[in-house]
Amino acid sequence: MNFQVTVLKILVAYPDGFAVMEDLKRDMAILATSGRDWADRTRRLAGRVPDLDIFSQGLVERISGGWKITSKGRAMLELMEARPTALQRAEAPPVVDTSATSPAPVPPLRQPADRAKRRRERRERRLEARERARANAS
């Protein structure tokens, strides 16, 4: 886990970007024990800015028993989280498939509108079935 990226991510989530030390320590402990996903994500973000130093670069300031993210810190975090541009993707080395057979393509996930439509149709069928049952009963 990258400490400096984690501090930026925690502070940006607080109102006004300020957190007292107790809250920072608690949040850091939670994230540190949350698994590999967080560690991998912060390492990847830190890799985009290898010389990151949140204090000397003025990204975070220490004030009244806590730390506060600055506007410069917010901008740096946005830069780190920005999706790579087409040029950056072109510079990335190509991924080589080393397996003899490629896995079957994964079908696209259904869209929420499809789910809502299916729910609505099921509900209408249930209502129609109830109405038919009532009509048959009388």
Side-chain angles (χ1 to χ4, degrees):
M1 176 179 80
N2 185 286
F3 170 78
Q4 297 191 51
V5 173
T6 301
V7 168
L8 290 174
K9 292 293 287 175
I10 290 171
L11 290 176
V12 80
Y14 276 83
D16 299 325
F18 174 80
V20 293
M21 289 307 297
E22 292 80 26
D23 292 340
L24 275 168
K25 288 178 184 178
R26 182 197 64 233
D27 292 347
M28 291 285 284
I30 291 169
L31 291 171
T33 58
S34 67
R36 288 189 57 110
D37 288 344
W38 181 256
D40 292 344
R41 181 176 183 204
T42 57
R43 226 176 277 121
R44 186 176 60 251
L45 290 174
R48 295 181 178 178
V49 185
D51 57 342
L52 182 67
D53 188 335
I54 59 176
F55 296 109
S56 68
Q57 293 174 341
L59 308 178
V60 172
E61 53 187 20
R62 297 177 182 120
I63 52 173
S64 59
W67 292 353
K68 181 174 181 166
I69 189 168
T70 63
S71 58
K72 192 174 177 183
R74 289 178 190 276
M76 179 63 74
L77 190 57
E78 286 177 16
L79 175 75
M80 287 189 291
E81 292 180 325
R83 294 190 185 269
T85 63
L87 178 61
Q88 290 169 329
R89 276 187 245 125
E91 292 172 357
V95 177
V96 178
D97 184 15
T98 58
S99 64
T101 61
S102 61
V106 177
L109 295 174
R110 289 185 170 167
Q111 297 300 315
D114 293 342
R115 278 196 315 243
K117 180 180 176 185
R118 287 193 314 275
R119 273 196 311 266
R120 188 173 46 255
E121 290 169 349
R122 281 194 302 265
R123 193 173 339 140
E124 289 171 358
R125 285 193 301 267
R126 282 193 307 262
L127 288 173
E128 290 171 1
R130 285 182 194 152
E131 289 174 6
R132 280 193 308 270
R134 285 184 192 146
N136 290 338
S138 31

